[in-house]
Amino acid sequence: MTALHGGRLGTWIKLPALESVQIVAHAAFDFVVIDQEHAPLDLRTVYELVTVAQALGVPPLVRVADGAPSGIQRLLDAGAAGVLIPHIDTVEQARAAAAAVRFPPAGRRGAGGTSRAGRWGLLSREEYLATSDSALCVPQIESRQAVGNAAAIAAVEGVDALFVGAADLGLDIGAAPSAPEVSELCGTALDAAHAAGIPCGAATATPQGAAALLAQGFDFVVVGNDTSMLAEAATATVHAIRGDGGPR
């Protein structure tokens, strides 16, 4: 779990471009989260992004589109360091997510030792099965119900961290992500994770926001994303030259 401890900084990867991973790796981000929930990334593209991230020493997590065990299994067999699973509201959903990440008897993941995670069959069965011990299962807490169940979700065997989604929490309660009510809910989830002895993360769009989250006690922060960084740099370049670089 070292990838998610000690004030680690990551960023979302949304573009189907290997260069995105290379650029953020060279920028010294601690990890990346490849985003299948809000970006049109297919399995083959994610496989390639994971491979490049690992080659550069940057742990690649994947935010899956949903908690389907078949999708989680294929991503872990592709070599992903772990998965973020959106909209985990109940203990039962958290148990199902953890089971999809772990091999029996701890879970229900199927064996695929000839995959990339098993070095295409070169690892022994024992070595391949041991890879699930280090795979990260990270439920996303994104509703009032989820916050209410956060302590129980964090205590589920096989859950390695929580990730708080302030944007969806705000949607759930009808408030802006920066509203005091949302901040209070995020703090409750953070406290629940720490009480269970696991790290808790959150996301923000800005460096200032990341610093504030780390100061609040969050263990890892996902800041910005490749698409927005490109958009902001492009807009700033045009504005600096012509003074009219606003979005079209």
Side-chain angles (χ1 to χ4, degrees), residues 21-225:
V21 174
Q22 292 171 320
I23 288 168
V24 301
H26 292 311
F29 278 95
D30 299 307
F31 64 95
V32 295
V33 186
I34 300 163
D35 190 4
Q36 281 197 307
E37 184 187 17
H38 292 297
L41 301 178
D42 60 26
L43 179 63
R44 179 66 196 184
T45 300
V46 172
Y47 185 100
E48 293 171 351
L49 295 170
V50 163
T51 301
V52 170
Q54 282 190 327
L56 293 169
V58 180
L61 304 174
V62 180
R63 177 162 68 177
V64 296
D66 54 47
S70 59
I72 291 173
Q73 175 173 296
R74 295 175 80 185
L75 292 168
L76 294 177
D77 275 341
V83 289
L84 277 68
I85 308 99
H87 302 292
I88 298 296
D89 296 319
T90 67
V91 171
E92 291 74 22
Q93 291 171 337
R95 287 176 179 153
V101 172
R102 313 292 171 204
F103 292 120
R108 301 185 63 187
R109 178 180 165 190
T114 57
S115 64
R116 183 171 179 274
R119 294 186 190 173
W120 303 277
L122 296 179
L123 290 184
S124 69
R125 177 178 174 82
E126 291 73 21
E127 289 172 320
Y128 167 67
L129 295 180
T131 62
S132 85
D133 296 337
S134 59
L136 297 169
C137 174
V138 186
Q140 295 190 182
I141 305 299
E142 303 178 281
S143 69
R144 189 189 297 275
Q145 180 186 14
V147 172
N149 291 325
I153 291 171
V156 169
E157 186 71 25
V159 166
D160 298 297
L162 299 184
F163 184 80
V164 183
D168 281 323
L169 266 174
L171 287 175
D172 185 63
I173 68 170
S178 58
E181 310 96 285
V182 175
S183 296
E184 183 177 349
L185 289 170
C186 291
T188 299
L190 173 65
D191 291 343
H194 286 174
I198 62 174
C200 188
T204 181
T206 67
Q208 296 82 1
L213 289 170
L214 293 173
Q216 187 179 345
F218 282 94
D219 304 279
F220 62 100
V221 175
V222 183
V223 55
N225 63 80

Side-chain angles (χ1 to χ4, degrees), residues 15 225-238 245-247:
L15 291 172
N225 63 80
D226 53 355
T227 55
S228 293
M229 290 179 196
L230 175 59
E232 290 164 4
T235 301
T237 297
V238 174

